[in-house]
Structures are given as C-alpha cells and as structure tokens.
Amino acid sequence: MSLTSLSVSDLQAKLRAKEVSPSEVMRALESRIAAVDPQIHGYLSRDIGLASKLAESADVSLPLGGVPIAIKDVINVTGEPCTAGSKILVGYKSNYDATVIRKLRAAGAIPFGRTNLDEFAMGSSTENSAFGHTRNPWDTSRVPGGSSGGSAAVVAADEAFAALGSDTGGSIRQPAAFCGCVGLKPTYGRVSRFGLVAFASSLDQIGPFTKTVRDAALLLTAISGRDPQDSTSLDEPVPDYTATLGRDIKGMRIGLPREYFIEGVDPQVDAAVRAAIRHYESLGAEIVEVSLPHTEHAVGVYYIIATAEASANLARFDGVRYGHRTAEASSLVDQYGRTREEGFGPEVKRRIILGTYVLSSGYYDAYYLRAQKVRTLIRDDFTKAFEKCDAIIAPTSPEAAFKAGDRSDDPLKMYLADIFTIAANLAGICGISIPCGFAQIDGQQLPVGLQILGKSFDESRLLQIAHAYEQSTNWHKARPKGNFE
Amino acid sequence: MSAAFDVRYTAQLARLNLSEEEIAKFQAQLSQVLAYVEKLEKVDVTGVEPTAHANAVYNVFREDKSRDWFTSDEALANAPRAANHLFVVPKVIE
C-alpha cells in the first residue's frame, strides 16, 4: 500500500511511530499529485514550498499533526489564491485565514492545495468551473459531482489524505457519493463560515471529505465550535467525535422516508441502498418507515432561497475592492455591469438573475416569502420524522456519476440531481454520504453513496451509525485503478 | 406569474450586463425553472411562519471594543486601483 493511499488515522500512526516524517509525506504527496492530477485536474493550485516548510516544523503529537489537507478554493488561506472557480477572482490573494483554517493549523494540520469547484459552488458536476473540468477518478469521461468535485476527486484518487469542501445543497455529499469517499455536512451552525466565500448564507456549511468515517470524525472535531466571527455558529459543546465510533448500534431506529424511494432512482442505486438497509437490520438496527411529505417541494424552495441569497452575496463583486475590474467603463454603474458581465460565468449569471427576480418588488411574497414558509414545513417534516427514528437513510443521489457534458446545458435537469440532498440544508440538519456499493455502467464500476441524515447537533450518533456500516463492509477499501486513462 | 419575467429588466436591477444571446437563452431556461418552482403555489401555507435560518439565533451581541483587523494597506492589497489609502473608482458626481 502506497503512503498516499493511507487514511488520516493510519498516516498519523506512522508519523507518531516515526516510520515516516511529515516532510517525506509531503514529498510523496507532491509526487502522487504530479503523476495523477494531469488526468484528474482536481487541483487549481498548490504551494509545495510553503507546505514543505510547515511540514519541517510539524508537531505530530497534535490531533492532526503533520497531516496535509486539501482545501476547496472557496475557503480563505493566508497568502494563497481563492478563486471560487471564477474569473472574477483571478489575481486575488487572501490575507487572512478562515476560522476552519485557523483551527486546522491549531490541530497541527497543513493546508495544502486548492481544489476545483463549480464557480461560486453553484453546480452539481464541477463543469461550471472557469478553470476546466475535474474528472471522476473511477471513469474520467464522467463528472466527479459538485460543487466540491475537486475535493472529492483528489481524496478518491489518493492525491490527498483528506479535504475540506462546502455544502449548500449537497455539494459535499453528492460528489463524495460520485467519487466513492466519505463526505460530511455538519449541522448548520456547527462549523464557522467565517472566511468561506458566501453562496447562500442560511444554507452553507463547511465539512470534510475523507477515506473513512473515523477520519471525518477527526476533522469534524478539529473544525467545530462557536466562533465570534460568525454569529450563526452556535455555542454547542464540541465532543470528541471519535468517541462513539465502534459502539453497538443494536436497537437504533433507522427511518426510511417513503418519498425517497421513488421511481426515477437508478435501479442499481436503489438495489445498493436496499442492500445497505438489510445490512443495518443484520447489525440489529430497527428499520421504521417515516414520511417527509413536503419532499417534492425541496428543489423548488431551494432554488428560490439559494439564488435569492446568492444574488445579495454576490453583489460584493463589483470591481472596486478586489478581483477583476473591466478595462473600460464610462461610469461607476457601467463599471459594475461590465465587470460582472466579464467576470461571471453562465450559471452564476443565471442564478443572480433568478435570485434578483424572486426578491424584486411585486414578486417577493409570491416567491421568496412563500419559499421560506414551505421551508418551515420541510423542517417540521424532519422534526416529526426524528420522533420516530434516530437517523434517516436514503440514496445520496438518484444515480451514479453522469457523463461530462450530459446536462450542462439543461439547468433544470442539473438542479434535479440534488433532489435527495437539498432538504437537509433547508432543515439545517447533519448528513453524511458513505460508499455502499457500485453500479456497473458501460463496463465501468461507479461508486454508489448511502446518505444518512441525523438530527441537528447529533453528529456523534450519525458518525457512529455510519462507522458501524463501514467497518462491517468493504466498500470503502475499493480504489479506482491508478492509471486514469 | 412567470409570464411577467423579464431578463433584460432584472439584469439591470442586478447591475449585470448581458449579451443579446444570453438574454434570449436565460429567458427560455429560467422561464422553465420558474414554471417548475411555481408548483409551490399549491402548498397550503396558511398560518405558517417563514424560516430564514435553520437554527435561528437572535441578537448576537459582542462587546463594543475595537480589535485588530486589516490595516488599510492590507485592505487595499487586492484593489484593482488604489491611491492615497483609498479605493479609486470612476467619477460618481459631476
């Protein structure tokens, strides 16, 4: 087994036993990236000089000491670019650390490498990046999912031990499912958003991509907690999220929402998820049927609320304080209009238009306010469902990774790819995607993701349930073949 | 409702210039998206309070004390144009 295919926990064991030094790890990682990334294009940039220097002085006794972690190019790291996958931020250099980066550093980790994404995290395939597509390591003609497709692909291709991403409507869980890794979206308010380029502020959350559930627990423990710089981060205690791992799940009640087992789900995905449910039964979990009756409205609510918030958040890209500015402008207003025309890609423009429209005078009540009310109903659905169960299981995505170019010109079809992940963001609850099998499509093995949703701030139990499945199956050990041809 | 949707006017509100081609394309694509989201009209929301944040918190205060933050040089480090510790923009008033 090569060094870069290790999990974070296994890497730490080797570092602490002094079998390998942080500098050696950094060199091995860099050479893996150099060999593999030309085929995957998961990274937009990386600063090996800076990371090597940090590795020299790394303290391996710390919780994540000496572990390099890839960062979605939407989270600010001092001295590094932060393009958000957009031309409008070309040339921008951060001069501060996001809170999650500050916390990772305090835990001894080394932020290394900026991963590709859909522009401003808007998309489900990473095809909306202004800097080229990322390819799925399992089949390079297919997408890695999105928007955190780069983070998922580099972990899956063993060119990162772990990565951070952000999840607004499934942007961690769906790419984790498509690439066969673990992706965790924490409860809204669990992790500070300070230093994350804002897309939809009431939905965005930062979370980890890892090779194992234990690693996800390690990273979550490091990045969680209240932050005075983000008033929506909540003052809930931060437990050691690895503490519940390995505990028996006998008697746990797992809910199956009938609205998630519907026509339109790929039969191979459906079969893998149903097999996982039977597996949970064999582990002693009690399977109960639950109902989330407003599920069919989640996509509609999401595309009103997320675009409305985005249209406001992206108003800051005006060519005044940072980023691109048009070369020719006759007035300030002309400068705004041209700068934004030149800097934003098509999907971002579409969403700004949609978001501006649903907030505009005369339409606010009909679209935005109504969507916020239906959001309440969606939240209430989960509250009621969690009275009957400890966690909910569903597919992460209705299908395995799709072909690049398949739906890049059909926004509505692309939006519907998020149908199973969006509701968790609207309700603010936590969710995880873990590998649960493969679909055979066109002679290729493509990973299938199992989504587990938990109550707000119930990550300990969520991880315990995910870990019980992972450790009694072998799916997480499978790796894409290494040549990526 | 989506019949009233006008990309050209909305783009002006958003301070976002669009080409004629984009206007035509977005008009068609987003009309389709709006027709889809209008399914929400069928949901009974009588007496339902809107949700702005999933885990709402109100009135988060901090002490009114200054703290270290960007110096003006740091704040201007990424500015497309700056002079005299200020951002430079096209003239706004004649």
Side-chain angles (χ1 to χ4, degrees):
Chain A
M1 201 180 201
S2 73
L3 192 58
T4 60
S5 59
L6 294 176
S7 67
V8 170
S9 325
D10 289 344
L11 175 68
Q12 280 183 307
K14 282 194 188 297
L15 284 166
R16 287 174 185 160
K18 298 209 186 319
E19 287 173 39
V20 64
S21 75
S23 297
E24 285 164 347
V25 169
M26 199 55 77
R27 279 195 292 276
L29 186 58
E30 173 60 20
S31 79
R32 173 70 180 172
I33 296 171
V36 164
D37 210 52
Q39 288 82 52
I40 302 298
H41 191 50
Y43 286 102
L44 291 178
S45 62
R46 59 191 194 276
D47 186 341
I48 182 67
L50 183 66
S52 301
K53 208 166 280 170
L54 292 170
E56 278 168 28
S57 57
D59 177 356
V60 299
S61 69
L62 290 169
L64 293 169
V67 177
I69 293 177
I71 309 294
K72 186 179 184 180
D73 205 18
V74 76
I75 298 170
N76 280 275
V77 176
T78 306
E80 297 199 1
C82 186
T83 66
S86 181
K87 279 194 293 188
I88 210 160
L89 277 169
V90 167
Y92 170 86
K93 202 180 199 190
S94 303
N95 45 17
Y96 72 105
D97 276 344
T99 297
V100 289
I101 301 299
R102 192 170 50 73
K103 283 175 173 277
L104 282 183
R105 289 193 205 277
I110 301 169
F112 174 57
R114 314 285 307 170
T115 58
N116 200 10
L117 68 156
D118 286 299
E119 186 176 1
F120 286 103
M122 296 178 184
S124 309
S125 68
T126 315
E127 293 171 291
N128 294 334
S129 169
F131 309 110
H133 304 176
T134 296
R135 288 173 277 277
N136 191 313
W138 293 89
D139 174 354
T140 51
S141 70
R142 292 175 186 271
V143 303
S147 66
S148 314
S151 290
V154 298
V155 171
D158 289 330
E159 40 171 341
F161 297 96
L164 289 187
S166 61
D167 190 314
T168 304
S171 281
I172 291 176
R173 289 159 288 155
Q174 184 254 21
F178 279 16
C179 291
C181 47
V182 175
L184 172 68
K185 182 204 95 73
T187 304
Y188 185 80
R190 174 73 299 187
V191 176
S192 169
R193 294 179 295 109
F194 178 73
L196 169 71
V197 177
F199 160 16
S201 303
S202 80
L203 305 166
D204 298 340
Q205 246 333 253
I206 295 170
F209 285 89
T210 55
K211 295 172 190 179
T212 66
V213 173
R214 176 170 296 276
D215 288 359
L218 276 172
L219 264 72
L220 182 66
T221 305
I223 64 174
S224 292
R226 156 127 179 89
D227 174 17
Q229 306 266 47
D230 173 4
S231 61
T232 63
S233 66
L234 296 181
D235 198 8
E236 294 280 331
V238 180
D240 173 357
Y241 284 109
T242 62
T244 53
L245 304 184
R247 285 192 198 157
D248 204 345
I249 62 157
K250 211 164 271 170
M252 287 253 188
R253 295 163 308 162
I254 290 179
L256 305 186
R258 69 175 74 98
E259 293 81 4
Y260 282 54
F261 291 86
I262 49 168
E263 243 179 272
V265 177
D266 178 276
Q268 296 190 71
V269 170
D270 188 71
V273 172
R274 286 182 195 277
I277 294 161
R278 286 193 297 276
H279 188 82
Y280 270 113
E281 257 178 318
S282 76
L283 294 175
E286 186 193 330
I287 307 295
V288 295
E289 192 173 297
V290 296
S291 177
L292 301 165
H294 295 91
T295 296
E296 63 166 313
H297 301 297
V299 173
V301 169
Y302 177 82
Y303 279 93
I304 291 173
I305 289 176
T307 59
E309 293 184 15
S311 72
N313 273 326
L314 269 57
R316 64 174 61 105
F317 297 98
D318 55 10
V320 173
R321 286 151 300 166
Y322 37 68
H324 173 72
R325 177 189 287 196
T326 186
E328 39 181 328
S330 57
S331 67
L332 187 59
V333 170
D334 189 40
Q335 175 184 299
Y336 295 154
R338 284 171 188 258
T339 295
R340 291 157 66 77
E341 177 184 24
E342 293 162 10
F344 290 136
E347 180 61 19
V348 173
K349 288 177 180 171
R350 262 193 296 269
R351 295 202 195 187
I352 290 174
I353 297 292
L354 186 59
T356 304
Y357 180 68
V358 300
L359 289 177
S360 64
S361 172
Y363 301 102
Y364 180 94
D365 285 4
Y367 290 108
Y368 187 65
L369 189 62
R370 174 165 284 265
Q372 285 189 310
K373 288 179 178 173
V374 182
R375 183 177 182 180
T376 304
L377 297 174
I378 290 169
R379 258 183 84 195
D380 293 349
D381 282 355
F382 279 100
T383 308
K384 279 183 209 135
F386 281 128
E387 286 167 7
K388 286 198 203 160
C389 62
D390 301 299
I392 288 171
I393 279 189
T396 306
S397 164
E399 63 198 323
F402 48 85
K403 287 265 188 198
D406 247 12
R407 39 182 80 177
S408 42
D409 221 35
D410 187 344
L412 185 57
K413 201 171 166 202
M414 189 73 97
Y415 297 172
L416 290 169
D418 302 334
I419 191 158
F420 294 147
T421 46
I422 273 174
N425 299 78
L426 293 170
I429 59 174
C430 56
I432 194 169
S433 179
I434 58 173
C436 75
F438 289 94
Q440 304 288 339
I441 298 173
D442 299 342
Q444 298 283 349
Q445 274 213 119
L446 301 173
V448 175
L450 177 70
Q451 181 176 223
I452 312 171
L453 300 172
K455 286 177 235 188
S456 287
F457 294 99
D458 203 18
E459 278 87 349
S460 284
R461 186 165 11 200
L462 182 77
L463 289 158
Q464 180 191 351
I465 292 171
H467 186 258
Y469 176 85
E470 177 196 72
Q471 290 303 306
S472 54
T473 56
N474 282 318
W475 307 116
H476 66 291
K477 293 179 187 158
R479 282 285 181 281
K481 54 183 190 298
N483 53 9
F484 306 118
E485 273 158 11
Chain B
M1 252 187 318
S2 57
F5 176 58
D6 178 355
V7 168
R8 196 182 302 273
Y9 173 69
T10 312
Q12 275 173 25
L13 294 177
R15 299 281 186 259
L16 174 61
N17 293 0
L18 296 176
S19 66
E20 288 302 320
E21 196 191 326
E22 281 174 319
I23 289 172
K25 194 172 179 182
F26 292 174
Q27 185 74 45
Q29 289 173 330
L30 292 177
S31 296
Q32 215 189 341
V33 173
L34 283 169
Y36 176 80
V37 304
E38 279 167 15
K39 282 202 306 185
L40 296 181
E41 281 173 38
K42 284 186 260 161
V43 185
D44 182 6
V45 292
T46 322
V48 177
E49 289 293 317
T51 294
H53 269 80
N55 298 305
V57 284
Y58 301 96
N59 298 338
V60 179
F61 294 113
R62 62 169 172 80
E63 260 188 282
D64 187 15
K65 246 169 62 182
S66 68
R67 59 198 160 101
D68 284 342
W69 191 230
F70 286 161
T71 62
S72 70
D73 281 346
E74 284 167 344
L76 291 165
N78 283 297
R81 275 190 73 194
N84 303 329
H85 298 287
L86 299 164
F87 296 103
V88 176
V89 295
K91 195 154 77 171
V92 180
I93 323 167
E94 289 301 321

